[in-house]
Amino acid sequence: CINMEFGNFDSHKLNVLPVTPYDDEIDSHSPNKGSQRFEKMISGLYLGEISRLILVALSNNGALPKVFAEKLNKPYGFSAKDTSIISADILPGLHIVHETLMTDYHIDCTQPSDRFVVREVCRLVSSRSAQLAGMAVAATLIKAEKNGDATIAIDGSVFEKTPYYKAILVKTIKSLVGENADIRCVLQKDGSGLGAGFIAAMVSHK
């Protein structure tokens, strides 16, 4: 039983985390600057803000209409929930993207090509989160010599509600530990509390 609390992984040296200018901006304006860098790249608390920063940058650079920079100028004003909803849109014309932007942000994104850009930004942010989380889990399994047989209990709305997140997570883990690995990722409410409880119970019985 391993209780994974890896939010602070590689925070101070940044030897391996693939940080971007958007990650640096989030960290520089956070109350715990320089800490929890890994968490700030994968947690639902930050995925919406990463998406917002990218959309604003694209708008300022002319890749999206100026209205995006104007309407999305409030820090943390773009939610992880909408990142998830937009990334899941597979309808012709990406009408869910249009409806979400219009309803929640008063952005009338009329061009399908602009809707596609918005959806791909949200997908990239969510996918990166799943891949980084999968990397951390796989590294732990390799270190623990689990031989590709493990159950991973995961807490949080990102894993629970983001389309394709679980599939990307499992695919990433298997790409590192072996395609034939028996990896079971399951939703576990209050995972952090239960994990700490399991560890405490195991220690007390030694």
Side-chain angles (χ1 to χ4, degrees):
C1 181
I2 301 173
N3 185 23
M4 298 291 289
E5 290 290 347
F6 49 37
N8 206 37
F9 170 68
D10 199 33
S11 287
H12 302 298
K13 295 184 178 181
L14 296 178
N15 287 330
V16 295
L17 288 181
V19 296
T20 68
Y22 311 110
D23 300 310
D24 288 335
E25 184 169 350
I26 285 176
D27 180 61
S28 66
H29 291 93
S30 69
N32 58 343
K33 182 179 178 180
S35 299
Q36 301 298 115
R37 294 298 302 265
F38 191 52
E39 178 183 359
K40 292 169 185 173
M41 299 172 73
I42 67 174
S43 168
L45 178 63
Y46 303 101
L47 298 187
E49 179 63 359
I50 298 171
S51 300
R52 184 192 74 85
L53 290 172
I54 297 173
L55 293 173
V56 169
L58 290 173
S59 177
N60 287 332
N61 290 330
L64 283 173
K66 288 296 183 184
V67 66
F68 279 87
E70 296 167 358
K71 296 293 186 180
L72 299 178
N73 62 350
K74 181 181 178 181
Y76 292 90
F78 193 84
S79 70
K81 175 183 177 182
D82 285 338
T83 298
S84 175
I85 290 172
I86 288 173
S87 67
D89 190 359
I90 58 174
L91 294 177
L94 300 179
H95 294 296
I96 293 177
V97 175
H98 179 259
E99 180 180 347
T100 302
L101 291 173
M102 190 67 188
T103 301
D104 294 349
Y105 308 101
H106 306 292
I107 298 174
D108 188 10
C109 188
T110 57
Q111 294 298 319
S113 59
D114 292 334
R115 299 177 194 176
F116 177 81
V117 170
V118 174
R119 186 192 67 178
E120 290 308 293
V121 166
C122 293
R123 282 188 171 183
L124 285 170
V125 171
S126 298
S127 296
R128 186 187 72 154
S129 169
Q131 290 172 330
L132 287 172
M135 170 274 299
V137 171
T140 304
L141 294 177
I142 293 170
K143 183 68 174 180
E145 298 181 347
K146 294 297 294 182
N147 297 321
D149 180 14
T151 298
I152 299 101
I154 302 173
D155 185 16
S157 60
V158 174
F159 176 77
E160 180 181 6
K161 298 180 180 179
T162 302
Y164 317 119
Y165 195 94
K166 179 178 179 180
I168 296 171
L169 178 70
V170 172
K171 181 178 180 180
T172 301
I173 296 172
K174 286 190 173 184
S175 72
L176 295 170
V177 302
E179 294 297 333
N180 295 323
D182 185 12
I183 302 298
R184 301 167 297 279
C185 293
V186 298
L187 177 67
Q188 177 61 66
K189 299 290 188 179
D190 189 27
S192 296
L194 287 173
F198 279 129
I199 295 296
M202 293 173 66
V203 171
S204 67
H205 286 331
K206 283 188 177 181

